[in-house]
Amino acid sequence: DAKTTQPPSMDCAEGRAANLPCNHSTISGNEYVYWYRQIHSQGPQYIIHGLKNNETNEMASLIITEDRKSSTLILPHATLRDTAVYYCIVRVGGNYGGATNKLIFGTGTLLAVQP
Amino acid sequence: EPEVTQTPSHQVTQMGQEVILRCVPISNHLYFYWYRQILGQKVEFLVSFYNNEISEKSEIFDDQFSVERPDGSNFTLKIRSTKLEDSAMYFCASSATSGTIYEQYFGPGTRLTVT
């Protein structure tokens, strides 16, 4: 699995958009980008994933650069409950050969939403 | 919304004792996982399980660990002879297999304290 680089921490004002960057410059063509978050001591929570197109769901948007070497997770209107560690993970997924189900977590970005 | 449940929420045991951590995955899911997180450290993959057998395991998952799906709903992690360094939060997760969607849903965790 390709490695990812994320800033260790970020602040965001409540109600503003939170933009969390992730660098995955060695990503392979069959590797997806996944985002999870972990609110203090709870189990990680799936947020969103994508391969090369931008994706949006009820929680967030995922913007993947055209060369796929980096991505940004966007929480459009951050709330205090979004304070968590956010993990960007890349792995072979879907129906590609070599798909693995294990998630390799890094240290993530601690997002602190300020009132 | 369906969720993964885990029992107990906190388990205290003495070094050398056997412990069994229990999980009830989401009912229509087919893949099951255990992860652990030592306090202040990363979430680490232990094992994945599919079709009544281990599909992947990490180097952490040695002979002291075993997993079982004893019936149609439970998934267990057994540690035969606990060590102090087994103290951690243990998370169970499950995922469905449908197309390219492989997000894993995590339970709230069991905090294992070995004294």
Side-chain angles (χ1 to χ4, degrees):
Chain A
D1 290 326
K3 293 183 178 178
T4 62
T5 304
Q6 299 178 252
S9 63
M10 293 182 65
D11 287 345
C12 177
E14 189 177 18
R16 305 298 295 267
N19 296 278
L20 293 99
C22 179
N23 186 295
H24 32 79
S25 58
T26 60
I27 194 170
S28 301
N30 59 356
E31 288 181 311
Y32 286 70
V33 180
Y34 289 78
W35 284 84
Y36 282 76
R37 73 180 182 183
Q38 186 176 25
I39 297 170
H40 180 63
S41 295
Q42 296 181 20
Q45 178 189 22
Y46 166 80
I47 301 173
I48 199 167
H49 76 282
L51 182 61
K52 50 187 174 183
N53 297 322
N54 298 336
E55 302 287 345
T56 295
N57 63 20
E58 64 278 3
M59 288 183 69
S61 294
L62 174 60
I63 309 297
I64 302 175
T65 57
E66 194 170 338
D67 64 8
R68 302 208 323 123
K69 293 185 176 182
S70 65
S71 61
T72 301
L73 178 74
I74 301 172
L75 307 179
H77 305 287
T79 71
L80 297 179
R81 287 176 295 181
D82 292 321
T83 292
V85 178
Y86 287 77
Y87 300 100
C88 169
I89 300 169
V90 295
R91 66 179 177 97
V92 178
N95 297 321
Y96 288 104
T100 175
N101 285 321
K102 71 180 177 188
L103 295 170
I104 299 176
F105 290 83
T107 52
T109 295
L110 174 58
L111 175 69
V113 181
Q114 309 290 344
Chain B
E1 185 174 324
E3 58 184 20
V4 176
T5 59
Q6 292 185 242
T7 55
S9 57
H10 190 190
Q11 174 90 46
V12 180
T13 189
Q14 290 190 326
M15 194 167 51
Q17 295 296 305
E18 174 185 286
V19 294
I20 297 176
L21 310 183
R22 302 180 191 280
C23 167
V24 178
I26 294 173
S27 63
N28 63 344
H29 283 184
L30 299 177
Y31 283 83
F32 314 112
Y33 316 85
W34 285 100
Y35 292 80
R36 79 173 187 189
Q37 186 174 32
I38 296 170
L39 186 63
Q41 298 188 23
K42 300 177 188 178
V43 177
E44 301 174 289
F45 168 80
L46 293 178
V47 67
S48 62
F49 189 86
Y50 170 70
N51 199 27
N52 281 321
E53 60 183 27
I54 291 172
S55 50
E56 279 186 273
K57 62 181 181 178
S58 71
E59 60 274 12
I60 301 169
F61 194 88
D62 61 21
D63 292 343
Q64 295 284 22
F65 293 88
S66 62
V67 289
E68 190 180 28
R69 187 153 164 82
D71 53 44
S73 59
N74 290 285
F75 180 51
T76 62
L77 174 69
K78 182 192 289 186
I79 308 175
R80 288 191 183 81
S81 178
T82 51
K83 307 182 187 72
L84 294 176
E85 53 265 37
D86 293 327
S87 293
M89 198 76 165
Y90 287 81
F91 296 108
C92 173
S94 68
S95 65
T97 55
S98 58
T100 60
I101 299 174
Y102 281 92
E103 63 265 30
Q104 295 178 20
Y105 294 87
F106 285 75
T110 292
R111 180 169 298 286
L112 176 65
T113 302
V114 182
T115 60

